[in-house]
Amino acid sequence: MAEEVKAAVAESEGKNFIDAFIEEDIAEGGRFQGQQVHTRFPPEPNGYLHIGHCKALTIDFGTAEKFGGLCNLRMDDTNPTKEDAEYVDAIQQDIHWLGFDWGDRFFYGSDYFEKDYEYAVELIKKGLAYVCDLTAEQFREYRGDIGKPAVSPYRDRSVEENLDLFERMKNGEFPEGSKTLRAKIDLASGNFNMRDPVIYRIRYMHHHRQGDKWCIYPMYDFAHPIQDALEGITHSLCSLEFEAHRPLYDWVVSNISIPYHKPRQIEFARLGINYTVMSKRKLRKLVEDGRVAGWDDPRMPTICGLRRKGYTPASVRNFAEMVGVAKRDNVIDLGKLEYCVREDLNKVAERRMAVLNPLKVVITNYPEGKSELFTAINNPEDESAGTRQVPFSRVIYIERDDFMENPPKKFFRLSPGGEVRLRYSYLIRCEEVIKDAAGNITELRCTYDPMSGRGSSSDGRRVKGVIHWVSAKDAVEAEIRLFNPLFTKENPDDVKEGQTWEDNLNPESMVKVTGYLEPSLRDIPIGQAVQFERVGYFCPDTDSTPGHLVFNRTVTLKDSWAKINK
């Protein structure tokens, strides 16, 4: 309870309570005085990392960096179910992409299977573990309740019998699920994790690294503290769900003959984001059911999905730091993540012009067959980004939203008789609106001021509206993928009776449109972010080819017109 109070005080003062605990531990008289801070990041290789893992690994690696310490990467592959080398490789790639490195400190939980087994035998010999024949369902019946101790008819087996049975479990003599090894702790504990928890179970499954060598596997709560201790971890930083497991963590390292110090477990709140799910089980189901195009689908909250969507490592890390370290689970607004990527891309992304909802404009007094180049700034935030040449011709495309036939006040874009500046180019005036038989606007006929191409005009007049455009004959056609939240509800689990979380999937989470781009966008490398001026940030998708360009929308820009009309 003292730790919880200290954490609450630190949090109320705006401090990182993990840092406060570590500073206390390494100070004179602290439990780790004179030792190097050593953390670890232990993902289970049964799926791809998502934004929630990013918070955890930022804390694990970032804390080690802050204190001049070390951080191990350990694959928690003690459960053979759905673990695969594909996920191991992807996890390493994602961590490196984010800018973290573990050096030569890369381990597998399965590396310690022999040691786990030896320590389990040690507990049996000490009378602190026993083989139980109860199934999980049966044990729930014996588990008791608050104020009512649990019971187990197998708890008093002799040391010799338990050693024999455990050896036979290892040798594969019993059916799966017929026996477990339980720690003998406290059947009356108010913490049900301490009521003789299972520390080994029988599983006849092929392990992705160990093959068929083992048919008994240690439980996470038993294996993890052993692994931490053997690797010399000082601070085992984990999510809040393990807070109630901390007494068991401490019990394990206190009752086996670990030749090293005993690590300290500290818990922090998990990260949740609205309009998505963080459960790897649910994310895997979306992939396996074909509801998304894969783990790296840009609608997924996975690190590889964010990367494909155009997020930068800096933006993801900045988001994790903005969220901070808390002691209470919370759900963060998706807008904060989008804010972080906007802030970063505004500094580094080059600007280009693209029209996603085109309206044809014919400049009637511009000479037919003529074309010219205008100089455009690549990034006003970075002079070193230089300039580029943008072609201009008699027929251009503008965004359909940049024209209104009957505009309200404060609409400074194009309208009948109105005038705007084409970005980097001329002033044009709308003279005529062409419609089809159904009354839909198909074309605008405009005139231009030939003396306005250098930012001025023939008579010195100025206009408030500046819109982007592309030359029709030079435009590059591309498939544009516009992404919206994956779910229609902030909490996807908020469902009516008879529904599931999948019923809240957003059918408009990806909308494909045909866009027309300035020609320089043909050569943008896959994954490199660019700003489509006045539209948003985009990047070429991995599906993109020279013959069929595909761009993903990373995030929209702030829309001042939308703010006015709220």
Side-chain angles (χ1 to χ4, degrees):
M1 183 59 69
E3 288 197 355
E4 282 67 25
V5 172
K6 289 181 182 178
V9 170
E11 192 174 346
S12 68
E13 295 176 350
K15 299 178 181 178
N16 181 326
F17 67 87
I18 293 178
D19 289 355
F21 284 160
I22 293 177
E23 288 169 358
E24 178 183 275
D25 287 344
I26 62 178
E28 185 175 352
R31 65 193 293 177
F32 299 122
Q33 178 185 345
Q35 293 188 44
Q36 187 175 34
V37 172
H38 202 155
T39 63
R40 84 290 170 269
F41 179 60
E44 183 176 3
N46 63 348
Y48 285 67
L49 296 183
H50 54 61
I51 190 67
H53 294 112
C54 180
K55 176 183 177 181
L57 69 88
T58 298
I59 290 174
D60 288 328
F61 282 96
T63 298
E65 285 182 358
K66 190 181 302 182
F67 288 94
L70 304 172
C71 183
N72 294 0
L73 174 61
R74 182 199 311 141
M75 296 295 159
D76 174 32
D77 62 342
T78 54
N79 180 1
T81 306
K82 296 187 181 297
E83 293 175 355
D84 195 277
E86 170 194 351
Y87 303 131
V88 173
D89 295 338
I91 288 169
Q92 294 180 80
Q93 180 184 2
D94 287 346
I95 296 174
H96 273 145
W97 178 74
L98 284 167
F100 297 111
D101 188 60
W102 52 88
D104 59 355
R105 297 175 305 281
F106 177 61
F107 306 97
Y108 288 90
S110 58
D111 291 340
Y112 303 100
F113 278 173
E114 290 286 355
K115 297 299 294 184
D116 293 334
Y117 180 78
E118 291 175 13
Y119 287 126
V121 170
E122 178 184 344
L123 289 178
I124 293 174
K125 290 179 177 179
K126 290 180 177 179
L128 295 177
Y130 64 96
V131 174
C132 180
D133 293 0
L134 296 176
T135 64
E137 294 75 16
Q138 290 171 332
F139 191 78
R140 278 193 284 269
E141 299 174 13
Y142 287 86
R143 200 176 189 185
D145 207 336
I146 301 296
K148 179 183 177 183
V151 294
S152 173
Y154 305 101
R155 201 170 195 262
D156 295 327
R157 277 175 164 158
S158 68
V159 168
E160 291 73 20
E161 184 181 6
N162 283 317
L163 288 172
D164 176 66
L165 290 171
F166 191 49
E167 175 72 16
R168 292 169 63 191
M169 286 172 60
K170 181 174 76 75
N171 294 337
E173 296 184 24
F174 303 115
E176 185 171 304
S178 63
K179 295 183 186 299
T180 58
L181 183 69
R182 293 185 178 276
K184 186 186 289 188
I185 306 178
D186 183 2
L187 290 177
S189 174
N191 183 339
F192 278 64
N193 294 299
M194 301 297 281
R195 292 194 177 191
D196 290 11
V198 173
I199 58 176
Y200 261 93
R201 77 284 203 205
I202 301 171
R203 296 299 299 270
Y204 292 105
M205 297 189 71
H206 183 81
H207 190 276
H208 75 107
R209 293 187 68 249
Q210 300 289 335
D212 300 315
K213 179 179 179 180
W214 296 90
C215 64
I216 56 171
Y217 291 94
M219 301 297 288
Y220 178 88
D221 281 343
F222 179 67
H224 191 68
I226 292 174
Q227 295 160 10
D228 283 350
L230 290 174
E231 291 178 12
I233 302 303
T234 58
H235 295 87
S236 182
L237 311 177
C238 57
S239 55
L240 200 59
E241 64 190 290
F242 293 103
E243 183 174 36
H245 297 247
R246 191 199 314 155
L248 179 54
Y249 182 101
D250 293 339
W251 183 91
V252 171
V253 294
S254 296
N255 285 285
I256 56 178
S257 55
I258 289 282
Y260 307 105
H261 62 259
K262 298 181 178 105
R264 176 179 185 176
Q265 177 175 302
I266 304 175
E267 308 85 16
F268 56 85
R270 299 177 71 176
L271 171 65
I273 298 180
N274 57 7
Y275 295 104
T276 191
V277 293
M278 295 293 190
S279 161
K280 276 197 286 188
R281 176 184 60 82
K282 290 180 179 178
L283 294 176
R284 184 185 299 109
K285 193 171 192 308
L286 291 176
V287 173
E288 292 176 348
D289 291 352
R291 309 301 288 268
V292 294
W295 286 96
D296 68 342
D297 189 302
R299 293 167 290 180
M300 293 277 275
T302 53
I303 302 300
C304 57
L306 292 172
R307 179 167 63 244
R308 182 176 175 183
K309 193 177 183 181
Y311 276 70
T312 60
S315 65
V316 178
R317 289 183 64 164
N318 290 342
F319 172 71
E321 291 172 7
M322 174 191 288
V323 170
V325 179
K327 197 65 177 176
R328 293 177 297 277
D329 284 337
N330 52 359
V331 177
I332 305 300
D333 187 82
L334 179 62
K336 288 188 176 181
L337 178 60
E338 294 179 339
Y339 167 82
C340 289
V341 74
R342 280 194 197 98
E343 286 292 294
D344 189 51
L345 292 181
N346 183 54
K347 302 171 191 172
V348 301
E350 291 194 356
R351 275 54 166 172
R352 296 292 187 271
M353 291 196 290
V355 173
L356 307 191
N357 188 12
L359 176 58
K360 181 180 177 181
V361 174
V362 178
I363 304 172
T364 56
N365 64 332
Y366 191 89
E368 291 193 35
K370 178 183 176 180
S371 64
E372 57 187 305
L373 296 174
F374 282 94
T375 300
I377 298 171
N378 284 336
N379 188 341
E381 303 291 326
D382 179 10
E383 289 186 6
S384 67
T387 61
R388 68 189 187 282
Q389 298 296 299
V390 181
F392 182 84
S393 62
R394 188 171 191 265
V395 181
I396 63 173
Y397 294 128
I398 67 170
E399 291 286 354
R400 191 168 289 272
D401 290 344
D402 281 338
F403 175 80
M404 289 187 75
E405 194 169 13
N406 299 295
K409 291 182 179 180
K410 297 185 179 180
F411 183 82
F412 300 120
R413 305 173 195 179
L414 195 59
S415 58
E419 197 170 32
V420 297
R421 176 170 294 282
L422 298 177
R423 181 81 160 142
Y424 306 115
S425 181
Y426 297 109
L427 293 176
I428 63 169
R429 180 187 300 276
C430 179
E431 309 288 357
E432 184 180 2
V433 178
I434 308 300
K435 299 181 181 181
D436 62 16
N440 300 309
I441 298 173
T442 59
E443 181 181 311
L444 302 180
R445 293 183 180 172
C446 299
T447 56
Y448 85 113
D449 180 349
M451 303 300 292
S452 64
R454 295 290 176 255
S456 59
S457 63
S458 57
D459 58 5
R461 70 191 183 282
R462 294 181 178 276
V463 297
K464 290 187 177 180
V466 179
I467 64 175
H468 64 280
W469 53 275
V470 293
S471 167
K473 72 182 185 66
D474 300 293
V476 177
E477 187 174 301
E479 176 186 317
I480 310 295
R481 297 174 181 176
L482 307 175
F483 298 105
N484 300 304
L486 187 55
F487 291 87
T488 57
K489 289 188 176 181
E490 288 194 37
N491 177 10
D493 289 322
D494 179 14
V495 296
K496 297 178 181 178
E497 186 176 352
Q499 292 184 325
T500 70
W501 58 276
E502 292 170 281
D503 292 308
N504 285 327
L505 279 165
N506 182 6
E508 300 296 318
S509 60
M510 179 172 66
V511 177
K512 297 180 181 180
V513 300
T514 299
Y516 295 88
L517 323 178
E518 66 169 84
S520 63
L521 281 166
R522 183 185 285 112
D523 302 319
I524 298 294
I526 298 296
Q528 180 175 312
V530 293
Q531 183 195 103
F532 289 1
E533 296 203 40
R534 303 179 61 243
V535 179
Y537 293 98
F538 293 75
C539 74
D541 186 70
T542 51
D543 290 340
S544 190
T545 65
H548 180 71
L549 298 182
V550 180
F551 279 76
N552 295 328
R553 182 171 68 188
T554 306
V555 67
T556 60
L557 295 178
K558 296 176 182 178
D559 191 331
S560 58
W561 174 245
K563 286 184 177 180
I564 291 172
N565 287 275
K566 277 186 177 177

